Each structure stands twice: as C-alpha cells, then as structure tokens.
Amino acid sequence: MVDISHKRHIAKSITWRLVGTLDTIVLSWIISGDPFVGLQIGMAEVVTKMFLYYLHERAWFKINLSKDGKILESRKRHIAKTFTWRIVGTMDTMIIAWIISGNPLTGLKIGFAEVVTKMLLYYFHERIWYKINFGLSERKK
C-alpha cells in the first residue's frame, strides 16, 4: 500500500508537469522559431522532469526546517523549494534543448527564459497545493 504522502507527491508532480510542459513548449517555440522543436523539447522533458520533481518533493518532505520537530510550511519554505527546483529544472531543460536543437546557445536561451516564468508558476503551484489537503493525514500548523 502506498503511503498517503506519496499519493500527494505524485499528484503534485503530475499537475506541475502539465503547467511546466506547456511553459516549456511555448518558450521553446518562441526562442527556436519552430513549433516542432518546442513540442519535442516539451515532450522530452515530461519523463525526466516528473522523475526529478518526485525526487525533489521526497527530499523536501524529509527536510525538517523547524526547531519544534514539525515541518515548516511557510512562504519561506516555498521560496526555498522554488529556487532548488528551478536549479534542477533549468539544468535539465538546457541539456535537453541543446540535444534536440543541436545548438548549445538555444539550450541556454530557453533555460534562462524559463528561470523567470517557471519560478513564478512554481511558487503559485506550491501556494495552491498548500491549501489543498489531498494526501495529508492532518494539516501541520
């Protein structure tokens, strides 16, 4: 039987991947000028990003940032998660975009463009999920 927190992290992984993939496709299309390249990059990321995001969620679930033994759920934690995820995600995007486009500069441009859009999207994704009780046995205060 799967632990309830695993179900939450899987659901968060799927919803974030949908948002993130759409953003990647649009940015890759704009930067490369080719919608097919945008689709290829976006689709290639689906598997790598879902796996990496799940690992990121599990790591943060195990990190205890408070003094009283409870997991700190705050805007500061969400901001920290946003930055750590963006580092992992941007590196993955740059490598995939470089491989698919054949141009390292295209990979860099797409990666740097994503830094801004994805951090904003991810922060709001985290805030929305913070308000959802799915996969929580109880809300930690």
Side-chain angles (χ1 to χ4, degrees):
M1 181 179 231
V2 176
D3 181 307
I4 196 159
S5 69
H6 287 278
K7 289 179 183 179
R8 179 179 179 84
H9 297 151
I10 290 168
K12 281 181 74 175
S13 298
I14 292 168
T15 59
W16 171 246
R17 193 63 264 138
L18 290 172
V19 171
T21 297
L22 288 173
D23 183 56
T24 298
I25 290 169
V26 170
L27 287 174
S28 298
W29 176 1
I30 291 167
I31 290 168
S32 72
D34 185 344
F36 186 63
V37 169
L39 281 171
Q40 284 182 306
I41 293 168
M43 294 300 106
E45 282 191 341
V46 170
V47 174
T48 60
K49 288 287 196 315
M50 284 187 72
F51 177 70
L52 292 170
Y53 184 81
Y54 176 79
L55 293 178
H56 184 261
E57 277 296 304
R58 294 306 298 166
W60 272 95
F61 181 71
K62 294 183 182 294
I63 293 173
N64 185 353
L65 297 178
S66 70
K67 294 178 183 170
D68 62 1
K70 291 184 180 176
I71 295 174
L72 179 64
E73 292 292 344
S74 70
R75 283 183 167 74
K76 289 179 185 177
R77 180 179 172 88
H78 296 148
I79 289 169
K81 280 181 74 175
T82 300
F83 278 95
T84 59
W85 172 245
R86 194 64 263 138
I87 290 166
V88 171
T90 297
M91 290 176 64
D92 184 56
T93 297
M94 284 193 249
I95 292 166
I96 289 172
W98 175 1
I99 291 168
I100 290 174
S101 71
N103 184 341
L105 188 58
T106 299
L108 286 170
K109 286 179 183 178
I110 293 169
F112 285 127
E114 275 194 348
V115 168
V116 175
T117 60
K118 290 280 195 321
M119 286 182 78
L120 289 171
L121 291 169
Y122 185 83
Y123 176 80
F124 289 114
H125 181 262
E126 279 295 305
R127 295 303 301 158
I128 290 167
W129 269 96
Y130 180 66
K131 296 175 187 297
I132 296 171
N133 290 327
F134 177 79
L136 297 175
S137 55
E138 64 180 66
R139 174 68 64 181
K140 295 186 183 203
K141 304 238 180 205

